[in-house]
């Protein structure tokens, strides 16, 4: 009954000053757009979260300064999706600290962009509310501003990150992606540099599966011993998906944890390391452990898996030539035998 609609006018709202906080949620909800528009910063400050929630979409009628005066708790109750780009831009990282995943999930791509680098104030839970489409709208600096809270992104959201966005991630952020690193696109993985790859844990390297072969040679070259040993073994042999350039980039130190099994293969599980893989590792095979060197098979009967060392590799092994098994020694080429030093023969 309109006779009993106790709706305050804009003038009355102004007259209430800070006593506006005494109104119940129903009275707040029934304020007109013009009445909400005259709320001063002082009046906005005294509103409770429940009162801000009661404003509904009319929260967009607050002035820019009024929006800026909302604290984190108040904003946690606001209908953010009703705000203009200008109002969202006025919000600070501190204000966004209590925003929920559902509030974030309701924003458009344009609104997400409008938050700017203040997305750094979002909690990991709120970041988890970002959809793939919303993540697409984030700029590189915004992705970087999320910090370790990228850990909250869903697999779909991580998969939507493009090369420019991924390029903005720090090594710590790459590590924070956890198992979802395997959701990165091929283009995104190719954009990872050596410093970023340093942030991957060995477990993450393993979780990349065959995708690890999309890393650049420089990125592969930055893998340490624990990371390289965790590379998933392809059925066709350890490191069989790697290009010659990638294999050549692997350092001797990175080969230190390679096991004998990774060299010899496992029957009905995966083939031995390919001959071309061993050859492409070049002089760096000197970094293999004694047990891994001892597993080199020599002639296999199948040219693909004939693990025969070159003369240059034999020289690089130095006195560790003694770690090779008799088959590997027997199948050295004449030129390889010819470069054996007196110390190696000893």
């Amino acid at each position: 009954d309109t006779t009993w609609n106790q709706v305050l006018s804009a003038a009355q709202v102004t007259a209430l000053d800070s006593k506006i906080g005494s109104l119940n949620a129903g009275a707040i909800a029934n304020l007109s757009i013009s009445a909400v528009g005259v709320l001063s910063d002082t009046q906005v400050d005294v509103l409770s979260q429940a009162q801000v929630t009661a404003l509904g979409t009319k929260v967009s009628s607050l002035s820019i300064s009024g929006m800026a005066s909302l604290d984190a708790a108040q904003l946690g109750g606001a209908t953010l999706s009703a705000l203009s780009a200008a109002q969202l831009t006025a919000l600070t990282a501190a204000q966004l600290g209590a925003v929920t995943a559902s509030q974030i999930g309701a924003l458009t791509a344009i609104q997400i962009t409008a938050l700017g680098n203040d997305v750094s104030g979002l909690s990991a839970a709120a970041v988890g509310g970002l959809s793939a489409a919303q993540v697409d709208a984030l700029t590189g600096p915004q992705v970087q501003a999320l910090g370790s809270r990228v850990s909250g992104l869903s697999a779909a959201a991580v998969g939507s990150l493009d090369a420019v966005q991924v390029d903005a991630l720090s090594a710590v952020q790459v590590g924070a992606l956890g198992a979802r690193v395997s959701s990165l696109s091929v283009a995104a993985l190719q954009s990872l540099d050596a410093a970023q790859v340093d942030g991957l844990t060995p477990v993450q390297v393993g979780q990349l599966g065959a995708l690890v072969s999309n890393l650049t040679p420089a990125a592969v070259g930055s893998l340490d011993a624990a990371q390289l040993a965790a590379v998933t073994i392809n059925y066709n042999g350890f490191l069989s998906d790697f290009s010659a350039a990638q294999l050549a980039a692997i350092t001797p130190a990175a080969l230190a944890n390679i096991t004998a099994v990774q060299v010899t293969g496992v029957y009905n599980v995966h083939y031995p390391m390919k001959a071309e893989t061993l050859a492409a590792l070049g002089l760096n095979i000197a970094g293999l452990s004694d047990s891994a060197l001892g597993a080199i098979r020599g002639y296999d009967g199948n040219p693909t898996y004939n693990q025969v060392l070159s003369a240059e590799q034999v020289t690089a092994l130095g006195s560790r030539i003694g770690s090779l098994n008799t088959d590997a020694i027997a199948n050295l080429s004449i030129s390889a035998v010819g470069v054996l030093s007196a110390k190696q023969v000893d």
Side-chain angles (χ1 to χ4, degrees):
D1 186 340
T2 55
T3 303
W4 312 109
N5 284 347
Q6 299 175 334
V7 181
L8 300 178
S9 67
Q12 289 174 311
V13 164
T14 299
L16 284 178
D17 196 23
S18 61
K19 294 175 72 177
I20 191 78
S22 298
L23 297 179
N24 60 48
I28 292 290
N30 286 297
L31 291 177
S32 66
I33 291 174
S34 59
V36 174
V38 298
L39 286 170
S40 68
D41 296 353
T42 301
Q43 287 178 303
V44 171
D45 282 342
V46 300
L47 295 177
S48 67
Q49 186 187 73
Q51 288 174 311
V52 172
T53 300
L55 287 173
T57 59
K58 284 182 283 192
V59 71
S60 63
S61 296
L62 292 175
S63 65
I64 296 295
S65 62
M67 287 300 307
S69 72
L70 289 171
D71 62 27
Q74 290 172 308
L75 197 66
T79 306
L80 295 185
S81 58
L83 302 182
S84 68
Q87 288 172 314
L88 289 166
T89 300
L91 299 176
T92 65
Q95 287 176 289
L96 293 171
V99 167
T100 65
S102 60
Q103 285 176 294
I104 286 296
L107 297 180
T108 66
I110 292 174
Q111 289 175 309
I112 291 292
T113 303
L115 290 174
N117 292 351
D118 287 314
V119 293
S120 62
L122 295 174
S123 65
V127 170
L130 290 169
S131 67
Q134 290 174 312
V135 169
D136 280 342
L138 292 172
T139 64
Q142 280 183 303
V143 172
Q144 191 173 57
L146 289 176
S148 61
R149 289 172 294 286
V150 294
S151 62
L153 292 173
S154 66
V158 171
S160 74
L161 291 169
D162 61 30
V164 173
Q165 292 171 311
V166 170
D167 192 52
L169 294 173
S170 67
V172 172
Q173 286 180 299
V174 171
L177 290 176
R180 288 181 291 284
V181 71
S182 64
S183 296
L184 290 173
S185 67
V186 169
L189 284 168
Q190 290 172 335
S191 74
L192 289 173
D193 61 27
Q196 289 173 308
V197 169
D198 285 344
L200 291 171
T201 65
V203 171
Q204 285 179 298
V205 172
Q207 289 166 333
L208 282 174
L211 291 172
V212 73
S213 64
N214 291 298
L215 295 175
T216 64
V220 170
S222 75
L223 293 171
D224 62 26
Q227 290 173 312
L228 187 67
V231 169
T232 299
I233 304 176
N234 184 286
Y235 180 73
N236 292 317
F238 185 56
L239 303 179
S240 62
D241 286 335
F242 282 50
S243 69
Q246 289 171 312
L247 292 167
I250 296 173
T251 66
L255 291 169
N257 290 355
I258 302 306
T259 66
V261 168
Q262 288 170 311
V263 174
T264 62
V266 177
Y267 182 69
N268 279 343
V269 178
H270 65 84
Y271 281 101
M273 183 181 286
K274 288 182 178 180
E276 64 183 32
T277 300
L278 188 65
L281 289 173
L283 307 185
N284 293 332
I285 66 161
L288 291 172
S289 66
D290 289 341
S291 61
L293 285 173
I296 292 175
R297 299 155 58 90
Y299 185 71
D300 180 73
N302 182 341
T304 302
Y305 298 101
N306 287 345
Q307 299 174 340
V308 181
L309 300 181
S310 69
E312 292 77 15
Q313 289 175 312
V314 166
T315 298
L317 287 179
S319 61
R320 298 183 65 227
I321 192 76
S323 297
L324 297 178
N325 61 49
T326 54
D327 286 337
I329 292 291
N331 286 292
L332 290 177
S333 67
I334 292 174
S335 60
V337 174
V339 299
L340 286 170
S341 67
K343 186 175 182 181
Q344 287 177 304
V345 172
D346 288 342

